[in-house]
Amino acid sequence: MEYLGFLVELVVALLLVCGGLTAVVGGIGMVRFNDFYMRMHGPAMSSTMALGCMILASILFFWFHTGTLRFPELILTLFVLISAPVSAHLLTMSALHLKLPRQSNTQGGPFELNEKIDQD
Amino acid sequence: MLGSMSILEWGIWISALLYMVAFCLNAYRVLIGPSLPDRIAALDTMYMNAIGPVILMGISTGTRFDFEAAMLIAMFGFLSIAALCKYLLRGMIIE
């Protein structure tokens, strides 16, 4: 039982560190990317991987701390997984509305940014 | 003191340090962001990152009462981001 407790603590600590590392990677991308459309990767990283790791660690820790398996954190996961694409969509729509500049090697080419189609 | 820490406390402290670094990077983008959607995207990432330390505090104290605070942060963050984007798109929030 002592060995199992140490193993659970190790897994919980690894999940916590993995969540923190993912948040740092999202922050580095937020600083280093040159373009708004590339910078939209940052919220996606921290909403899916970092928060998922933290919530898994919380469920696992409280399972072995209280002895019963309950999932109140899954409501939080559900809400964030629903709301993150909506906020990303609204952000990109406002960026396209303001016609933010993009780099030449940014893929995609939406018609809102294409000057030729605008002039025709 | 450092020798008596268990591996879970090490994990909690390292994760809190990493979240602090992530907050500093996002705050840098909020300060220098050349346009308004850049700053709003950085604020979006900051409120997503603010949920993590609340869960960390719940694990370190051993209670689950902090979960409602995390839920409130998620709700108000999404509402504020949606209101700011609607303001940028239309010029007003409620039409």
Side-chain angles (χ1 to χ4, degrees), chain B residues 43-94:
Chain B
L43 279 178
D44 192 10
T45 319
M46 274 177 92
Y47 94 79
M48 290 285 185
N49 284 342
I51 302 173
V54 175
I55 296 175
L56 264 185
M57 200 172 72
I59 289 179
S60 69
T61 55
T63 58
R64 249 177 175 166
F65 297 116
D66 305 322
F67 161 70
E68 280 85 7
M71 195 73 208
L72 279 179
I73 289 175
M75 278 187 186
F76 283 112
F78 170 66
L79 281 183
S80 61
I81 297 301
L84 282 170
C85 290
K86 285 298 281 183
Y87 176 70
L88 280 189
L89 272 174
R90 300 286 180 197
M92 60 182 70
I93 296 175
I94 300 173

Side-chain angles (χ1 to χ4, degrees), chain A residues 6 9-10 12-14 16-21 23-24 26-36 39-40 42-43 46-47 50-51 54-55 57-59 61-63 65-66 68-76 79-80 82-84 86-88 90-91 93-95 97-98 100, chain B residues 6-12 14-15 17-22 24-26 28-29 32-49 51-53 55-56 58-64 67 70-72 74-76 78-79 81-86 88-90:
Chain A
F6 176 74
E9 278 198 0
L10 182 67
V12 169
L14 278 181
L16 290 179
V17 173
C18 180
L21 273 180
V24 169
I28 290 173
M30 208 57 161
V31 170
R32 291 277 298 174
F33 282 152
N34 313 316
D35 194 355
F36 174 78
R39 258 176 239 139
M40 286 308 292
S46 67
S47 70
L51 204 60
M54 303 297 284
I55 283 169
S58 176
I59 288 175
F61 174 75
F62 282 110
W63 185 13
H65 188 255
T66 61
T68 56
L69 180 61
R70 294 173 59 208
F71 305 101
E73 283 92 355
L74 283 189
I75 307 171
L76 186 62
F79 182 78
V80 170
I82 290 172
S83 73
V86 178
S87 62
L90 278 171
L91 270 171
M93 265 204 318
S94 62
H97 177 68
L98 293 177
L100 287 188
Chain B
S6 68
I7 192 164
L8 184 60
E9 296 179 16
W10 275 105
I12 287 172
I14 291 173
S15 179
L17 266 176
L18 289 173
Y19 267 103
M20 195 181 72
V21 174
C24 290
L25 293 172
N26 286 316
Y28 178 70
R29 176 53 70 186
I32 70 160
S35 67
L36 273 176
D38 286 314
R39 295 169 202 252
I40 298 176
L43 279 178
D44 192 10
T45 319
M46 274 177 92
Y47 94 79
M48 290 285 185
N49 284 342
I51 302 173
I55 296 175
L56 264 185
I59 289 179
S60 69
T61 55
T63 58
R64 249 177 175 166
F67 161 70
M71 195 73 208
L72 279 179
M75 278 187 186
F76 283 112
F78 170 66
L79 281 183
I81 297 301
L84 282 170
C85 290
K86 285 298 281 183
L88 280 189
L89 272 174
R90 300 286 180 197

